[in-house]
Amino acid sequence: MTVRELDAAGITDPALRAAYRHCRDLNARHGRTYFLATRLLPVERRPAVHALYGFARWADDIVDSLAPDSGAEVRARALTRLQEEMEAGLRRGRGAEPVVHALADTVRRYAIDHAHFRDFMTAMRSDLTVTAYPTYADLSAYTHGSAAVIGLQMLPVLGTVVPREEAEPYAAALGVAFQLSNFLRDVGEDLDRGRVYLPADLLDGHGVDRDLLLWSRATGRPDPRITAALREFEALTRGVYREAVPGVDLLEPVARPCIRTATVLYGGILDAVARDGWTVLHRRSVVRRRRRAVVAADGLVRVAAARLRARTGPGRRPPHRAGALPAAGLSPAVTARAAEEVA
């Protein structure tokens, strides 16, 4: 599939193809939901998404995955080197590092605003020193750079049926909704890294502080005050999804199944947390494999319908609407084939 993607995108230079393959491997290995949804995009657009993911993953690994004894100074120097590589790559349209080489090519092809990447690096750097957020407004300043700009980077790749600036607020909101879902799922893991992303005023409203979170994490014991705070954060996150979802219809039709699938799967994290009894301090909640397969199968139906509409043109209706085959009604065989195709 990698060769087909690269050929369809018109990427012929051997070094550049290798750089994109490296990014695709990162996406497949680490971005399960992101990678699954990417498989629903037109084949020629997938390498660009892999490049955007690969760069974000590289920065995230510096912040969170260096050796445990790597202090803030070591991480800061690594982020500085990455930003220098990025800036040089964006200027030249290529880079020595594979991730930067692919990123620079994608940015050039799709005319993506360089400011989005600078904002992203600012947010990554703040993770080295900021360990809590007093209010949701403070958290929003962080999620602009860490999440909203990801949606804005993606928008030129996805394409829109309206002027791009009209779709940008929705794309930014969806990026934030995805990250808030991850924050809820990863409360325990983030606490181990010394960070609390849930706003302090939200926690205070339920009598929760860092010490109580640490106690629950250490003992494995739940606390109703923590559960109430998590429920409020879930409600807040669902509100951001509601703001973002209307923007899906502003995308090019062939891109909508990808983003709808990602939205359902990331939103499913909230359902998984509730299903597991709000035990995010003690276990990682995941969207079950069967659910992922069903959502993927529905996405494939929508892709087929979008491509058929594109072939038949605006003057003719395809035999079936995209929603005419709901995922719940798909046979196990179809679901299994879909799971294989997007795995």
Side-chain angles (χ1 to χ4, degrees):
M1 182 66 75
T2 303
V3 171
R4 179 172 167 239
E5 291 173 353
L6 295 171
D7 289 347
I11 300 167
T12 58
D13 176 74
L16 188 57
R17 287 169 73 92
Y20 273 108
R21 279 196 296 270
H22 176 68
C23 292
R24 186 185 188 277
D25 289 344
L26 288 174
N27 196 355
R29 191 159 62 246
H30 299 289
R32 291 178 59 197
T33 297
Y34 206 73
F35 183 71
L36 186 154
T38 301
R39 296 292 299 276
L40 300 177
L41 278 176
V43 65
E44 71 278 3
R45 303 190 197 186
R46 297 175 198 169
V49 179
H50 298 321
L52 295 174
Y53 179 89
F55 178 77
R57 182 73 201 187
W58 188 8
D60 190 64
D61 281 350
I62 290 173
V63 172
D64 288 336
S65 301
L66 285 179
D69 59 347
S70 299
E73 290 185 7
V74 173
R75 295 167 192 264
R77 286 196 297 271
L79 281 177
T80 297
R81 286 194 299 272
L82 172 58
Q83 183 146 14
E84 290 171 350
E85 288 269 0
M86 179 199 80
E87 295 284 2
L90 294 181
R91 284 195 307 271
R92 300 170 185 162
R94 64 185 188 279
E97 289 286 347
V99 168
V100 172
H101 195 29
L103 177 75
D105 184 68
T106 288
V107 170
R108 180 188 59 79
R109 285 170 181 263
Y110 289 95
I112 303 173
D113 190 339
H114 294 189
H116 298 327
F117 301 96
R118 298 186 183 110
D119 288 348
F120 174 74
M121 292 303 297
T122 297
M124 293 300 97
R125 194 173 294 277
S126 75
D127 269 333
L128 301 181
T129 56
V130 179
T131 60
Y133 295 87
T135 67
Y136 183 66
D138 295 309
L139 182 64
S140 295
Y142 168 76
T143 57
H144 166 75
S146 63
V149 297
I150 302 298
L152 297 174
Q153 292 168 19
M154 283 281 294
L155 199 56
V157 179
L158 300 173
T160 61
V161 295
V162 297
R164 189 183 300 172
E165 58 270 19
E166 187 176 330
E168 284 178 342
Y170 300 99
L174 193 58
V176 171
F178 290 172
Q179 185 163 62
L180 295 181
S181 299
N182 287 342
F183 285 163
L184 183 62
R185 179 195 63 196
D186 297 339
V187 170
E189 295 174 21
D190 289 330
L191 190 63
D192 291 343
R193 299 184 180 107
R195 303 188 204 119
V196 177
Y197 288 107
L198 275 62
D201 60 350
L202 182 153
L203 296 173
D204 290 343
H206 298 280
V208 178
D209 58 16
R210 184 182 291 259
D211 287 341
L212 182 61
L213 295 174
L214 288 168
W215 169 84
S216 180
R217 178 71 167 167
T219 63
R221 295 173 61 183
D223 186 284
R225 293 169 292 180
I226 295 175
T227 300
L230 296 175
R231 285 179 178 273
E232 182 177 345
F233 192 76
E234 181 221 4
L236 183 156
T237 303
R238 291 193 187 277
V240 179
Y241 275 104
R242 286 193 293 272
E243 293 175 14
V245 163
V248 176
D249 287 335
L250 305 184
L251 302 175
E252 289 184 6
V254 292
R256 292 172 194 166
C258 165
I259 301 307
R260 282 201 175 99
T261 297
T263 300
V264 172
L265 291 174
Y266 274 98
I269 293 172
L270 305 179
D271 299 328
V273 169
R275 178 198 71 211
D276 292 342
W278 308 94
T279 56
V280 290
L281 280 164
H282 317 126
R283 60 179 294 187
R284 183 184 178 92
S285 296
V286 298
V287 179
R288 290 172 176 164
R289 184 178 178 84
R290 168 69 183 180
R291 174 61 175 160
R292 289 167 57 84
V294 168
V295 172
D298 181 65
L300 289 172
V301 170
R302 292 177 183 274
V303 166
R307 290 175 181 171
L308 181 58
R309 281 196 295 271
R311 287 199 301 269
T312 57
R316 297 174 56 191
R317 292 180 63 86
H320 299 285
R321 292 175 58 249
L325 291 175
L330 294 173
S331 73
V334 170
T335 300
R337 286 196 300 275
E340 280 183 16
E341 179 159 344
V342 299

